[in-house]
């Protein structure tokens, strides 16, 4: 995938103009801000923007680069003929969303560092009433967009030339989000930017995304709460003989019923032997009495995702053996949580967890200590991406969100247990975000009895 990545970026830059002429010839005349009929409500335009939060993020970007220009394209609508569209046909790019919270397609954000708010420009495609018969109302370059986005200067993005002429000859580098390696980056600069000083915006924005602000944490709490409701629903519905896909349907129906925008990642519902396959996601087996079921499923809400795993007996009652393995995983997770505090690192938490599991394995996993069967890392950053961006060497700080997800996978026995929770780092330590999903064997059995 990597070698193609730079082509995608290059295409982004050239395709905007092409797509505009291809899909809406002829272009409507450019409307100045405020010229469109005011639209009091903009259904389908996404949720309210926390304008103060996004303005602070943009100011931070400008301050960190000091001098230069930032140019960020929004995502394009996906194409139902060419893409595998599985849910909404549009999801904003995370970088654009982080800096605007707008769920609008084919937009561009320009930030001129070193200037005040007037140095930020939002470019939006002109509204086309004929297209809106298909799409519903769209945000256009008008005063409603300025009000909703908190960006005072909103201009039409009717051509790439207009955007690039607004960029002008920047004093300083041009920062764009590039999903490419350094080697590809230099090639890209030659190909697309004619050797200008073009730099990748991603490392800066990605590092900012590590520490979540209040608005992001509120979004994550919502995504996690919805996810917990899905796990509760799965436990309540599970019966021996159900197909994995039926359990998956229960989880995902609950997500949508509670307002999830989409799944954060493909749901994993692995029963019996499938509980030992880490990312088993086809859900085609019929459960049997005595199976454990690993359900790893997270809802996305407001661009942020949860990542929660629960393991339960499909018949509602853990066997003594299942309970013993389960309780070791649970205690390992608790030990990692107890060490989660500002200043700790992911590597330290991982070590603490493995050492605990090893020291408390006894003969539970046969000739080897159980950590030999804990075959993935303890956790990862969580945010707009399920495996969120950011340097894994960064010591924890308040506002960071991570998963703690130890597991033991005994393939020979068809017995897998993973317990995964989402954890917010606080000044004093850490907070379980996903505590609403029952977790002890007693809690799970009690819920499943009802
Ligand atoms: N759901 C994917 C993971 O836990 O990393
Ligand atoms: Mn995870
Ligand atoms: Mn997971």
């Amino acid at each position: 995938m990597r070698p193609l990545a730079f082509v995608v970026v290059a295409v982004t830059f050239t395709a905007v103009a092409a797509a505009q002429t291809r899909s809406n010839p002829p272009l409507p005349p450019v409307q100045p801000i405020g010229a469109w009929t005011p639209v009091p409500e903009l259904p389908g335009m996404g949720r309210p923007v926390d304008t103060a939060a996004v303005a602070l993020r943009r100011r931070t970007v400008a301050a960190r680069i000091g001098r230069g220009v930032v140019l960020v394209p929004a995502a394009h609508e996906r194409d139902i003929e060419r893409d595998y569209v599985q849910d909404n046909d549009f999801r904003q790019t995370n970088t654009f969303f982080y800096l605007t919270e707008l769920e609008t397609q084919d937009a561009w954000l320009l930030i001129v560092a070193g200037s005040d708010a007037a140095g930020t420009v939002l470019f939006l495609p002109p509204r086309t009433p004929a297209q809106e018969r298909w799409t519903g109302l769209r945000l256009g370059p008008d005063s409603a967009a300025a009000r909703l986005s908190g960006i005072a200067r909103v201009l039409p993005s009717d051509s790439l030339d207009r955007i690039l002429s607004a960029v002008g000859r920047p004093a300083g580098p041009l920062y764009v989000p590039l999903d490419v390696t350094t080697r590809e980056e230099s090639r890209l600069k030659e190909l697309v930017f004619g050797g200008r000083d073009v730099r990748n915006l991603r490392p800066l924005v990605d590092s900012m995304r590590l520490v979540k602000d209040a608005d992001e944490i509120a979004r994550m709490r919502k995504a996690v709460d919805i996810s917990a409701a899905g796990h509760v629903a799965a436990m309540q519905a599970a019966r021996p003989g159900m197909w994995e896909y039926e359990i998956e349907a229960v989880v995902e129906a609950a997500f949508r019923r509670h307002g999830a925008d989409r799944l954060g990642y493909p749901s994993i519902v692995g029963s019996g032997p499938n509980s030992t396959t880490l990312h088993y996601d086809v859900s085609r087996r019929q459960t049997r009495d005595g199976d454990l079921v690993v359900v790893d499923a997270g809802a996305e809400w407001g661009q942020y995702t949860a990542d929660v795993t629960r393991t339960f007996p499909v018949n509602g009652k853990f066997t003594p053996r299942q309970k013993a393995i389960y309780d070791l995983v649970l205690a390992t997770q608790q030990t990692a949580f107890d060490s989660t505090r500002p200043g700790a690192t992911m590597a330290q938490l991982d070590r603490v967890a493995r050492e605990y599991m090893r020291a408390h394995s006894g003969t539970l996993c046969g000739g080897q200590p159980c950590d030999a069967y804990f075959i993935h890392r303890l956790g990862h950053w969580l945010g707009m991406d399920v495996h969120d961006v950011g340097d894994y060497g960064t010591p924890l700080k308040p506002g960071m969100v991570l998963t703690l997800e130890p597991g033991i996978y005994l393939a020979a026995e068809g017995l897998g247990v993973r317990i995964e929770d989402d954890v917010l780092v606080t000044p004093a330590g850490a907070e379980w975000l996903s505590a609403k999903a029952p977790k002890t064997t007693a809690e799970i059995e009690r819920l499943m009895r009802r």
Side-chain angles (χ1 to χ4, degrees):
M1 255 174 58
R2 281 288 182 190
L4 283 178
F6 81 91
V7 178
V8 173
V9 180
V11 167
T12 301
F13 274 75
T14 46
V16 172
Q20 300 272 347
T21 43
R22 197 175 51 239
S23 56
N24 355 305
L27 288 169
V30 172
Q31 301 292 324
I33 289 176
W36 285 90
T37 318
V39 184
E41 294 296 326
L42 290 170
M45 286 296 104
R47 302 197 168 80
V49 172
D50 184 336
T51 53
V54 287
L56 178 58
R57 293 173 205 161
R58 291 192 295 264
R59 283 202 301 278
T60 304
V61 165
R64 296 254 187 103
I65 67 173
R67 208 170 67 98
V69 167
V70 173
L71 187 60
V72 185
H76 307 302
E77 204 147 88
R78 289 184 277 184
D79 184 324
I80 206 160
E81 273 82 30
R82 278 179 296 181
D83 302 322
Y84 286 95
V85 178
Q86 300 269 307
D87 43 43
N88 331 58
D89 61 4
F90 180 78
R91 184 181 185 273
Q92 189 55 275
T93 68
N94 290 333
T95 304
F96 191 89
F97 190 88
Y98 186 71
L99 296 172
T100 66
E101 292 189 355
L102 292 174
E103 293 180 73
T104 192
Q105 62 291 311
D106 298 323
W108 295 75
L109 175 70
L110 174 67
I111 303 171
V112 182
S115 68
D116 58 14
T120 298
V121 185
L122 176 66
F123 292 92
L124 291 172
R127 290 177 57 199
T128 46
Q131 267 194 354
E132 288 184 1
R133 293 303 308 279
W134 294 82
T135 62
L137 296 178
R138 283 277 156 91
L139 209 56
D142 55 26
S143 54
R147 179 170 49 78
L148 293 168
S149 67
I151 298 173
R153 283 187 74 201
V154 184
L155 297 175
S157 60
D158 51 346
S159 81
L160 188 60
D161 285 348
R162 180 192 291 275
I163 293 161
L164 291 178
S165 76
V167 173
R169 285 233 138 261
L174 174 64
Y175 290 84
V176 292
L178 302 170
D179 293 311
V180 293
T181 63
T182 313
R183 196 160 56 81
E184 288 157 349
E185 244 173 81
S186 53
R187 172 111 178 88
L188 180 66
K189 285 177 197 172
E190 286 161 29
L191 282 175
V192 185
F193 302 104
R196 284 164 71 170
D197 186 4
V198 180
R199 300 189 191 173
N200 192 353
L201 179 67
R202 284 291 302 271
L204 170 58
V205 171
D206 291 0
S207 70
M208 289 170 61
R209 282 172 52 188
L210 255 179
V211 176
K212 274 69 179 170
D213 63 28
D215 175 67
E216 294 181 283
I217 292 168
R219 288 167 188 266
M220 296 195 73
R221 284 188 193 282
K222 177 115 182 166
V224 173
D225 283 354
I226 292 170
S227 303
H231 284 272
V232 167
M235 290 177 199
Q236 287 174 323
R239 301 282 179 276
M242 270 177 96
W243 291 79
E244 291 166 340
Y245 54 75
E246 293 180 276
I247 298 173
E248 179 175 289
V250 170
V251 176
E252 295 182 0
F255 287 178
R256 284 299 264 166
R257 244 190 4 255
H258 288 87
D261 295 328
R262 56 181 75 81
L263 302 177
Y265 53 91
S267 302
I268 295 163
V269 180
S271 65
N274 295 333
S275 65
T276 66
T277 302
L278 303 182
H279 281 179
Y280 170 82
D281 68 359
V282 292
S283 302
R284 290 177 189 167
R285 178 178 176 273
Q286 189 173 23
T287 63
R288 296 203 196 138
D289 200 5
D291 284 346
L292 281 183
V293 188
V294 170
V295 176
D296 182 345
E300 181 184 298
W301 190 90
Q303 195 85 4
Y304 288 76
T305 188
D307 184 7
V308 177
T309 306
R310 289 292 180 264
T311 301
F312 56 83
V314 73
N315 64 11
K317 180 92 186 130
F318 287 88
T319 66
R321 168 111 184 112
Q322 289 169 346
K323 180 169 160 42
I325 300 280
Y326 189 97
D327 283 342
L328 178 57
V329 176
L330 186 62
T332 299
Q333 192 201 37
Q334 184 65 46
T335 302
F337 178 85
D338 293 341
S339 296
T340 304
R341 64 178 76 93
T345 64
M346 274 287 205
Q348 285 167 352
L349 300 183
D350 193 275
R351 201 173 322 119
V352 163
R354 274 172 219 285
E355 281 168 6
Y356 180 92
M357 190 182 277
R358 174 178 288 248
H360 294 81
S361 291
T363 55
L364 204 52
C365 295
Q368 301 218 66
C370 290
D371 62 300
Y373 301 94
F374 174 13
I375 52 175
H376 52 74
R377 58 190 175 162
L378 174 70
H380 50 83
W381 309 136
L382 184 68
M384 288 190 275
D385 288 317
V386 62
H387 296 159
D388 209 25
V389 293
D391 179 356
Y392 275 89
T394 315
L396 300 183
K397 294 191 189 88
M400 288 167 68
V401 180
L402 60 145
T403 67
L404 294 177
E405 49 176 308
I408 295 175
Y409 307 92
L410 302 172
E413 265 180 79
L415 197 173
V417 173
R418 177 161 66 255
I419 305 171
E420 175 173 28
D421 282 273
D422 304 338
V423 168
L424 170 69
V425 183
T426 64
E431 177 190 338
W432 297 107
L433 294 177
S434 40
K436 288 179 188 156
K439 192 158 65 166
T440 65
T441 57
E443 285 167 349
I444 292 172
E445 289 180 348
R446 198 176 318 125
L447 177 70
M448 294 184 75
R449 262 201 307 276
R450 283 211 298 268

